[in-house]
């Protein structure tokens, strides 16, 4: 549904997106994850035909964005970073305008507006002026605008920013519900958000993809295995050596009584063997714990590792 | 080009004029000044006519020269002042509110967006002009003015106002700041108005060029009831060029 290849965008001398390539299949929900200034919004603006790329190509719904912008735009619903709402319009009037602008025939506009209002639970405020709504409501109006013409592809730039926790859950459910019929790309800085809604994550940093996978695989892949930490009474060279020889152990480092044991990924259960080895060498195990690297850490790791290279 | 899209955009912009006090203030100001001028011209004209009848002095005043010409000539000046208020928000505000992103990612072309905006403002001006039809109606009810100069004046004012609108739309596309857009529109409108003054001291060749460039010198014929193709072509080209430049600006600002 979406094919991006070697996409590059420079603002003057600053390269915002650098040789980005990825694909999104029909019906997938994909999360764009990256720190501030990673190039998420820039990529989305290019995909939606808002601005052209410096080089490379992007295809949406079978049409080249730069050659067939109108066809592409017909198939996309876009929620930009700042919800593009007119403060002087009523909610339903605005959604009617957005529907008409996206080619919804006149007789279907009312139904389309009602549908979008319902999906985003905006029914109560439908005749209020957008300018009088709170930030979270305005964000929802922006989201309703992206949905109103029932597009095949949805591109949502930080869709849950500014929403309250209850709304966040509702909107995440809404997005999850779109999977299958719609293809969705959403961006976020927040991992739980992406884990909650997306089947696949594309982590980008400084305009480049640093990881791209399903959430489970990403966890195991970058999580360089597990790390156990063990505190012992009598650390000894032979004891440390014995632990190091346990199958699956990648490395052992000792600082005083504290041993940090790194395990190769996918090595099965090793804790018994490690503790047994330590006990056998009479090191006197005092404490043993597993440190699971969380997704947050993976994210930080990915984006900071990149920092060292640059 | 899809006229439906132009209309969708034009209608939203037109309605939004009435969501803020701007349209009401502009229309009220316009009608007040025009009404005052009309009655001033009318009473002045009546006094002259009376003088002519009683003393048979001076020349016989005509409604065209005494009322129509000054009335619509002044209307042009008022539009020079008011149109910046009508056009300043058109694109500048969309950029400020980021709603330009909605327009530019919707399946509509840049040309449709620009024409929609232009026509929304034009529609407001046409409504204002329609409200002034009451003056010729009063003249027809109380006297027998010539229809030709009135019709030609309306055509001339309409075209001249179109030029200001086109200029205003262009300046509105250059900045996010409405005040700046309005001020530039007024300044450049005044410039295109006044270039004909300079023509008198600019020598024969340059004088002709400057007179030709002046927005107001092309209005003279309309005021006398003469519809000249050259003048119409000039005004339409001016409008078209302004819209074209607006298109270039909006297109290039995507590339930045
Ligand atoms: N109009 C612009 N002119 C110049 N530089 C820009 C412009 N827009 C973005 N940039 C730069 O491009 C880079 C990528 O910006 P982008 O907005 O795509 O990041 P992002 O991933 O969306 O960040 P955030 O999480 O803060 O929204 C940044 O370095 C930013 O400073
Ligand atoms: Mg962003």
């Amino acid at each position: 549904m979406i094919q991006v290849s070697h996409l590059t965008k420079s603002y003057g001398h600053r390269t915002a997106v650098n040789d980005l390539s990825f694909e999104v299949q029909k019906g997938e929900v994909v999360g764009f994850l990256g720190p501030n200034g990673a190039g998420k919004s820039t990529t989305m603006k290019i995909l939606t035909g808002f601005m052209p790329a410096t080089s490379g190509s992007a295809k949406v719904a079978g049409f080249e964005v730069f050659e067939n912008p109108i066809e592409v735009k017909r198939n996309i619903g876009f929620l930009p970073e700042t919800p593009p709402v007119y403060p002087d319009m009523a909610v339903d009037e605005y959604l009617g305008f957005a529907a008409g602008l996206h080619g919804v025939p006149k007789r279907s506009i009312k139904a389309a507006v009602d549908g979008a209002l319902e999906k985003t639970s905006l029914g109560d405020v439908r005749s209020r002026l957008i300018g009088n709504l709170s930030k979270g409501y305005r964000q929802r109006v922006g989201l309703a605008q992206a949905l109103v013409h029932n597009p095949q592809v949805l591109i949502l730039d930080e869709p849950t920013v500014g929403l309250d926790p209850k709304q966040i859950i509702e909107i995440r459910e809404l997005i999850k519900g779109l999977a299958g019929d719609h293809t969705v790309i959403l961006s976020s800085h927040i991992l739980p958000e992406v884990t909650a809604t997306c089947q696949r994550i594309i982590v980008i940093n400084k305009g480049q993809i640093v990881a791209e996978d399903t959430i489970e695989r990403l966890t195991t892949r970058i999580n360089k295995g597990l790390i156990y930490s063990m505190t012992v009474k009598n650390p000894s060279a032979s004891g440390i050596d014995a632990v190091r020889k346990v199958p699956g152990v990648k490395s052992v480092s000792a600082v005083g009584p504290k041993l940090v044991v790194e395990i190769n990924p996918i090595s099965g259960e090793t804790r018994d063997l490690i503790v047994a080895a330590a006990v056998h060498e009479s090191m006197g195990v005092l404490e043993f714990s597993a440190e699971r690297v969380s997704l947050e850490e993976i994210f930080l790791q990915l984006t900071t590792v990149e920092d060292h290279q640059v | 080009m899809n006229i439906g899209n132009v209309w969708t955009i034009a209608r939203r912009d037109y309605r939004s004029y009435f969501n803020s006090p701007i349209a009401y203030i502009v229309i009220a100001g316009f009608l007040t000044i025009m009404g005052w001028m009309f009655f001033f011209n009318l009473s002045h004209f009546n006094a002259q006519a009376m003088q002519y009848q009683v003393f048979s002095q001076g020349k016989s005043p005509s409604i065209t020269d005494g009322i129509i010409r000054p009335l619509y000539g002044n209307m042009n000046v008022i539009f020079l002042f008011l149109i910046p208020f009508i056009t300043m928000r058109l694109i500048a505000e969309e950029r400020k509110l980021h709603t330009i992103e909605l327009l530019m990612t919707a399946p509509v072309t840049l040309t449709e967006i620009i024409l929609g905006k232009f026509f929304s403002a034009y529609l407001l001006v046409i409504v204002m002009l329609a409200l002034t039809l009451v003056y010729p109606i009063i003249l027809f009810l109380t006297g027998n003015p010539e229809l030709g100069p009135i019709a030609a004046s309306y055509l001339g004012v309409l075209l001249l106002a179109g030029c200001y609108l086109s200029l205003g739309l262009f300046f509105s596309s250059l900045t996010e700041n409405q005040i700046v857009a309005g001020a530039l529109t007024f300044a450049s409108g005044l410039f295109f108005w006044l270039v004909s003054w300079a023509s008198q001291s600019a020598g024969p060749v340059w004088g002709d060029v400057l007179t030709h460039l002046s927005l107001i010198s092309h209005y003279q014929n309309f005021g006398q009831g003469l519809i000249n193709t050259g003048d119409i072509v000039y005004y339409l080209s001016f409008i078209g060029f302004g819209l074209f430049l607006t298109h270039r600006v909006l297109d290039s600002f995507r590339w930045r």
Side-chain angles (χ1 to χ4, degrees):
Chain A
M1 187 54 74
I2 299 172
Q3 283 120 21
V4 171
S5 67
H6 304 290
L7 204 67
T8 297
K9 168 78 195 177
S10 310
Y11 295 104
H13 293 296
R14 176 181 287 125
T15 304
V17 171
N18 191 358
D19 198 29
L20 212 63
S21 301
F22 64 91
E23 278 193 25
V24 180
Q25 303 305 320
K26 188 170 173 8
E28 252 190 318
V29 179
V30 169
F32 248 25
L33 198 63
N36 288 132
K40 304 180 294 292
S41 301
T42 304
T43 310
M44 290 181 154
K45 283 181 183 167
I46 295 170
L47 283 178
T48 52
F50 179 71
M51 60 188 182
T54 309
S55 67
S57 81
K59 249 175 131 174
V60 178
F63 298 100
E64 185 71 45
V65 179
F66 317 115
E67 282 158 22
N68 261 315
I70 298 292
E71 286 305 323
V72 168
K73 289 170 180 178
R74 222 188 286 288
N75 289 298
I76 292 185
F78 178 38
L79 171 65
E81 210 159 19
T82 313
V85 294
Y86 297 97
D88 62 349
M89 286 177 104
V91 173
D92 50 5
E93 186 193 2
Y94 168 71
L95 292 178
F97 168 67
L101 204 59
H102 284 88
V104 175
K106 214 167 177 182
R107 61 186 177 284
S108 328
I109 285 185
K110 202 189 164 306
V113 170
D114 289 343
L117 286 170
E118 200 195 308
K119 281 182 196 157
T120 48
S121 5
L122 283 169
D124 293 345
V125 297
R126 64 176 301 154
S127 46
R128 299 235 337 240
L129 281 188
I130 297 173
N132 296 342
L133 297 179
S134 68
K135 180 168 156 38
Y137 270 91
R138 249 179 272 170
Q139 179 76 13
R140 272 146 73 182
V141 174
L143 191 61
Q145 165 276 129
L147 296 167
V148 73
H149 54 291
N150 196 24
Q152 291 187 60
V153 177
L154 278 156
I155 296 188
L156 311 174
D157 201 347
E158 301 182 29
T160 58
V161 157
L163 302 185
D164 64 39
K166 182 167 162 286
Q167 265 304 313
I168 289 182
I169 294 170
E170 277 181 41
I171 296 299
R172 283 181 188 166
E173 286 306 314
L174 169 67
I175 293 170
K176 263 200 264 183
L178 295 169
D181 295 336
H182 300 79
T183 308
V184 183
I185 298 186
L186 63 86
S187 76
S188 177
H189 313 114
I190 314 160
L191 261 158
E193 165 129 325
V194 179
T195 22
T197 44
C198 304
Q199 297 142 3
R200 199 150 62 86
I201 308 188
I202 296 173
V203 184
I204 79 171
N205 188 35
K206 308 218 158 139
Q208 286 177 315
I209 295 184
V210 289
E212 180 191 351
D213 222 324
T214 60
I215 286 157
E216 299 76 33
R217 292 239 298 277
L218 202 61
T219 320
T220 40
R221 210 187 77 195
I222 304 129
N223 190 350
K224 296 162 184 138
L226 289 167
I227 291 175
Y228 297 132
S229 73
M230 183 158 65
T231 316
V232 295
K233 204 154 53 191
N234 316 306
S236 65
S238 62
I240 291 167
D241 227 34
V243 173
R244 192 172 285 137
K245 283 193 185 114
V246 172
V249 171
K250 198 172 153 197
S251 70
V252 180
S253 52
V255 181
K258 202 167 160 118
L259 271 62
V260 176
V261 185
E262 208 183 320
I263 309 296
N264 282 322
I266 327 157
S267 355
E269 184 52 68
T270 50
R271 275 174 283 193
D272 262 4
L273 297 172
I274 292 168
V275 176
V279 170
H280 188 254
E281 294 292 327
S282 9
M283 289 205 290
V285 177
L286 295 176
E287 230 180 271
F288 187 89
S289 63
E291 287 173 12
R292 208 187 167 82
V293 183
S294 75
L295 269 172
E296 305 282 356
E297 285 168 81
I298 296 171
F299 175 46
L300 280 178
Q301 213 172 346
L302 280 168
T303 48
T304 42
V305 161
E306 184 71 8
D307 266 348
H308 294 310
Q309 287 172 357
V310 170
Chain B
M1 198 183 56
N2 182 336
I3 292 296
N5 291 338
V6 175
W7 175 236
T8 302
I9 292 164
R11 197 178 45 175
R12 196 212 71 81
D13 267 293
Y14 180 73
R15 282 197 186 159
S16 108
Y17 277 122
F18 295 93
N19 289 340
S20 78
I22 281 279
Y24 298 103
I25 293 172
V26 166
I27 292 177
F30 177 71
L31 291 181
T32 310
I33 301 169
M34 285 311 296
W36 183 78
M37 280 180 175
F38 177 67
F39 285 104
F40 176 77
N41 283 338
L42 198 62
S43 51
H44 186 73
F45 175 79
N46 277 343
Q48 264 188 335
M50 199 88 79
Q51 210 174 28
Y52 180 73
Q53 270 179 357
V54 175
F55 303 105
S56 297
Q57 279 176 347
K59 66 179 175 67
S60 156
S62 82
I63 295 184
T64 302
D65 288 337
I67 299 177
I68 306 290
R69 211 133 46 99
L71 186 69
Y72 292 96
N74 289 336
M75 197 189 277
N76 287 326
V77 185
I78 298 170
F79 273 130
L80 174 68
F81 282 90
L82 290 184
I83 282 183
F85 291 100
I86 296 177
T87 56
M88 64 184 190
R89 49 174 283 280
L90 282 174
I91 296 169
E93 193 181 36
E94 301 266 1
R95 285 178 62 175
K96 184 129 198 156
L97 294 173
H98 286 90
T99 44
I100 189 102
E101 291 174 29
L102 171 66
L103 298 181
M104 304 242 289
T105 59
V108 296
T109 62
L110 211 47
T111 310
E112 288 162 359
I113 296 173
I114 290 167
L115 287 180
K117 301 239 147 230
F118 180 68
F119 286 130
S120 73
Y122 224 152
L123 202 57
L124 187 65
V125 167
I126 289 171
V127 166
M128 289 162 74
L129 280 177
L131 292 171
T132 65
L133 284 173
V134 65
Y135 308 132
I137 289 172
I138 290 173
L139 293 179
F140 274 108
L141 290 177
T142 56
N144 52 348
E146 289 174 90
L147 180 61
I150 296 177
S153 295
Y154 270 107
L155 181 62
V157 173
L158 197 63
L159 287 167
L160 185 53
C163 295
Y164 292 145
L165 290 172
S166 179
L167 208 57
L169 187 65
F170 168 68
F171 283 111
S172 184
S173 75
L174 283 182
T175 166
E176 280 186 12
N177 188 323
Q178 294 190 38
I179 307 295
V180 171
L184 287 173
T185 305
F186 175 70
S188 61
L190 201 59
F191 171 80
F192 277 108
W193 180 290
L194 297 183
V195 276
S196 65
W197 288 9
S199 67
Q200 284 150 15
S201 54
V205 178
W206 279 105
D208 272 3
V209 171
L210 291 179
T211 308
H212 188 73
L213 270 180
S214 162
L215 281 171
I216 195 63
S217 61
H218 285 274
Y219 178 79
Q220 303 308 339
N221 288 331
F222 289 104
Q224 273 149 355
L226 300 170
I227 295 175
N228 184 329
T229 327
D231 297 328
I232 295 181
V233 167
Y234 168 79
Y235 282 143
L236 291 181
S237 320
F238 193 103
I239 293 171
F241 191 61
L243 297 181
F244 169 76
L245 286 183
T246 311
H247 188 286
R248 299 320 306 152
V249 169
L250 284 185
D251 198 42
S252 76
F253 116 98
R254 298 159 69 213
W255 287 88
R256 258 177 260 154

